[in-house]
Amino acid sequence: MISFDAIIIGAGQAGPSLAGRLTGAGMTTALVERKFFGGTCVNTGCMPTKTLVASAYAAHLARRAADYGVVLNGAPQIDMTRVKARADTVVNNARTGVEKRLRGMERCTVVQGHARFEGPDVIAVGDEQLSAPRIFINVGGRALVPDMAGVDQVPYLTNTTMLALDRVPRHLVVVGGSYVGLEFAQMFRRFGAEVTVVEKAPRLITREDGDVSDGIRTILEAEGIRVRTSAECIGLTPHEEGVAVSVNCQEGPPEAVGSDVLLAVGRRPNTDDLALDRAGVAADARGYITVDDTLATNVPGIWALGDCNGRGAFTHTAYNDFEIIAANLLDGDNRKVSARVPCYALYTDPPLGRVGMTEAQARETGRPLLTSTRPMTRVGRAVEKGETQGFMKVVADAETRKILGAAILGTGGDEAIHGVLDIMNAGVSLDVLRWAVPIHPTVSELIPTLLLDLKPE
Ligand SMILES: Cc1cc2nc3c(=O)[nH]c(=O)nc-3n(C[C@H](O)[C@H](O)[C@H](O)COP(=O)(O)OP(=O)(O)OC[C@H]3O[C@@H](n4cnc5c(N)ncnc54)[C@H](O)[C@@H]3O)c2cc1C
């Protein structure tokens, strides 16, 4: 048995930074990683996908070159081997960087292998036993393979295996019309595949407002992506051309036949193989570890950070979990998860930047509301760039004059949304922006205007 002051399970988005703070505070820390340093974001999530999105954008812009008066000799070609190599390089550099940082960290012991609890302060990694009075679980999640008919009879792709493709599928059927599925759908359409998106719900990304879902659907369909919604009973069968996905939609053919199928129907936490019961750590029915507002589990001395606690599903939320724990344990602070303003982006092109409540959620509060919407056709920067799809909208509380939420579906939306996010984080009235002088020409410059245009519902 080797004893440490702290053990961290998982080198994802919270673990390595936490190791830095704990060791910096003089604690001996073991960090256990079973696979790739950097976790999902670095290896199979944000970094490779956004690198591929950049290649897909280059292809799209090249196809539109004539719109800008740029003459190319012939249609652009996709070299998928080089597209993949570019993503691999970005991933490998980041992964190596995380590993190097950890291995060079004073008082940090890197242990490679799968960690399992033996008790509330003991974990086993292979034949080794490690103990510590503080254990931090940062095990993340993986693609959920749904229990749908025929799933064991056909080859299928997940967000991880998609990244190993060095060919463009002839026809990619994406099961799941949400964040992960839509990013892959658009990028592979731009790489030259036929793409069909099959979604169980009546519209894409149902967590968003109807106008946002519809806006995204319009953007995707304009690029030739077929969208089949209300696919209430999805099943997979082998087909001579690849895979047939039975769709059972009320409209259109009963199945979508593709050469390849991507299952993008959600994620599940990596907690089923942690032996949580041996430590007495509670989890919910879906396996997410139950934590309080400071990320402490029900067992004193054990905390859970990142995707595995179900309180966030993003790199920035995992990282913020690290910040909360470090501030509370090491700086005598009193940070809470509930103080976090929800925010994220969908990296289609144009992207969707989101913060706070949807309009539907704001309505459910029963508060008097103010709303304002502006199409991207009325944003100078978008017009100049020739990228006028989408719109921006904001919803505010009419009495407190605080912003409740916003969406920017449009060019630069992932960046410009921070203008709203910062006001929400500051907790100030929207009137604070009345005399702000934003930079022209930007998408962000329209945020004060959007706020000045707020009207009662
Ligand atoms: C396709 C895709 C695209 C995404 N794009 C974005 C994006 O653009 N922006 C964004 O914010 N988020 C994005 N995400 C989500 C983001 O990747 C995750 O929210 C983030 O990685 C969560 O970090 P984490 O630290 O909780 O866990 P992870 O990054 O998953 O790290 C967990 C680590 O724990 C290790 N581990 C697990 N179990 C054990 C064990 N028993 N013993 C030892 N080690 C173990 C794993 O190997 C892994 O390295 C994307 C996700 C996907 C799938």
Side-chain angles (χ1 to χ4, degrees), residues 9-15 32-47 49-50 111 113-116 138-142 159 163 180 183-184 267 270-271 273-274 305-308 312-319 344-345 347:
I9 310 176
Q13 299 308 301
V32 191
E33 172 52 56
R34 71 176 176 193
K35 207 165 180 197
F36 297 132
F37 292 86
T40 306
C41 181
V42 165
N43 296 287
T44 56
C46 337
M47 292 197 81
T49 56
K50 268 80 258 184
V111 182
H114 180 94
R116 269 188 193 80
N138 177 218
V139 292
R142 61 184 186 273
N159 70 280
L163 302 172
V180 170
E183 288 182 7
F184 277 113
R267 311 266 306 157
N270 289 327
T271 53
D273 47 9
L274 260 183
L305 304 83
D307 284 11
C308 69
F314 302 100
T315 284
H316 47 277
T317 48
Y319 188 79
Y344 51 87
Y347 290 89

Side-chain angles (χ1 to χ4, degrees), residues 61-78:
L61 213 52
R63 282 187 198 107
R64 293 189 59 208
D67 295 353
Y68 297 88
V70 176
V71 180
L72 297 182
N73 291 326
Q77 307 289 311
I78 305 296

Side-chain angles (χ1 to χ4, degrees), residues 299-332:
V299 178
I302 304 183
W303 291 260
L305 304 83
D307 284 11
C308 69
N309 65 25
R311 302 291 293 266
F314 302 100
T315 284
H316 47 277
T317 48
Y319 188 79
N320 182 236
D321 285 359
F322 140 67
E323 293 178 310
I324 290 170
I325 287 191
N328 293 350
L329 290 189
L330 304 174
D331 304 333

Side-chain angles (χ1 to χ4, degrees), residues 179 205 207-209 211-213 216 314 316 341-347 351-362 391 393-395 403-409 413-418 420-421 424:
Y179 306 90
I205 30 178
R207 249 177 278 164
E208 304 299 340
D209 285 326
D211 52 358
V212 171
S213 289
I216 291 167
F314 302 100
H316 47 277
V341 178
C343 60
Y344 51 87
L346 162 73
Y347 290 89
L352 168 70
R354 276 273 301 113
V355 58
M357 295 181 194
T358 61
E359 197 178 333
Q361 287 168 335
F391 64 96
K393 74 167 178 178
V394 65
V395 54
I403 297 173
L404 298 175
I408 304 181
L409 173 63
D414 52 330
E415 300 285 350
I417 196 72
H418 286 82
V420 183
L421 177 58
M424 292 181 73

Side-chain angles (χ1 to χ4, degrees), residues 76-357:
Q77 307 289 311
I78 305 296
D79 180 343
M80 204 55 206
T81 315
R82 282 166 67 181
V83 168
K84 179 179 176 296
R86 182 171 172 274
D88 289 347
T89 303
V90 169
V91 167
N92 289 335
N93 288 345
R95 180 194 299 166
T96 316
V98 175
E99 180 169 5
K100 226 170 157 181
R101 180 172 153 225
L102 286 168
R103 292 203 187 275
M105 208 176 266
E106 212 184 328
R107 286 184 283 275
C108 180
T109 304
V110 174
V111 182
Q112 280 190 276
H114 180 94
R116 269 188 193 80
F117 278 95
E118 293 278 309
D121 55 359
V122 181
I123 62 153
V125 183
D127 296 336
E128 268 187 309
Q129 291 211 324
L130 318 178
S131 83
R134 300 166 199 85
I135 300 185
F136 302 93
I137 309 171
N138 177 218
V139 292
R142 61 184 186 273
L144 173 79
V145 175
D147 187 19
M148 62 179 49
V151 75
D152 49 351
Q153 283 159 42
V154 297
Y156 58 81
L157 295 155
T158 65
N159 70 280
T160 303
T161 51
M162 281 299 287
L163 302 172
L165 287 185
D166 54 7
R167 63 182 173 89
V168 178
R170 191 185 56 69
H171 185 165
L172 179 67
V173 180
V174 179
V175 177
S178 202
Y179 306 90
V180 170
L182 296 185
E183 288 182 7
F184 277 113
Q186 189 186 43
M187 96 182 51
F188 274 86
R189 177 69 190 141
R190 290 179 171 192
F191 291 150
E194 273 185 69
V195 175
T196 303
V197 176
V198 175
E199 168 55 50
K200 205 165 145 187
R203 58 185 175 84
L204 298 175
I205 30 178
T206 42
R207 249 177 278 164
E208 304 299 340
D209 285 326
D211 52 358
V212 171
S213 289
D214 294 347
I216 291 167
R217 182 172 182 153
T218 304
I219 288 163
L220 297 179
E221 287 182 335
E223 294 187 25
I225 295 172
R226 281 190 285 270
V227 178
R228 308 289 309 275
T229 43
S230 301
E232 277 153 19
C233 183
I234 303 172
L236 309 170
T237 35
H239 188 279
E240 57 187 15
E241 285 180 38
V243 182
V245 181
S246 60
V247 172
N248 269 358
C249 299
Q250 279 153 13
E251 286 171 21
E255 57 181 25
V257 177
S259 56
D260 299 78
V261 61
L262 163 65
L263 299 181
V265 294
R267 311 266 306 157
R268 58 177 293 191
N270 289 327
T271 53
D272 49 329
D273 47 9
L274 260 183
L276 287 176
D277 51 325
R278 294 213 179 169
V281 173
D284 69 13
R286 293 161 65 212
Y288 289 100
I289 297 172
T290 313
V291 289
D292 68 11
D293 214 7
T294 64
L295 303 167
T297 68
N298 61 312
V299 178
I302 304 183
W303 291 260
L305 304 83
D307 284 11
C308 69
N309 65 25
R311 302 291 293 266
F314 302 100
T315 284
H316 47 277
T317 48
Y319 188 79
N320 182 236
D321 285 359
F322 140 67
E323 293 178 310
I324 290 170
I325 287 191
N328 293 350
L329 290 189
L330 304 174
D331 304 333
D333 217 330
N334 182 27
R335 299 276 157 191
K336 295 197 167 92
V337 185
S338 53
R340 189 152 74 200
V341 178
C343 60
Y344 51 87
L346 162 73
Y347 290 89
T348 47
D349 171 44
L352 168 70
R354 276 273 301 113
V355 58
M357 295 181 194

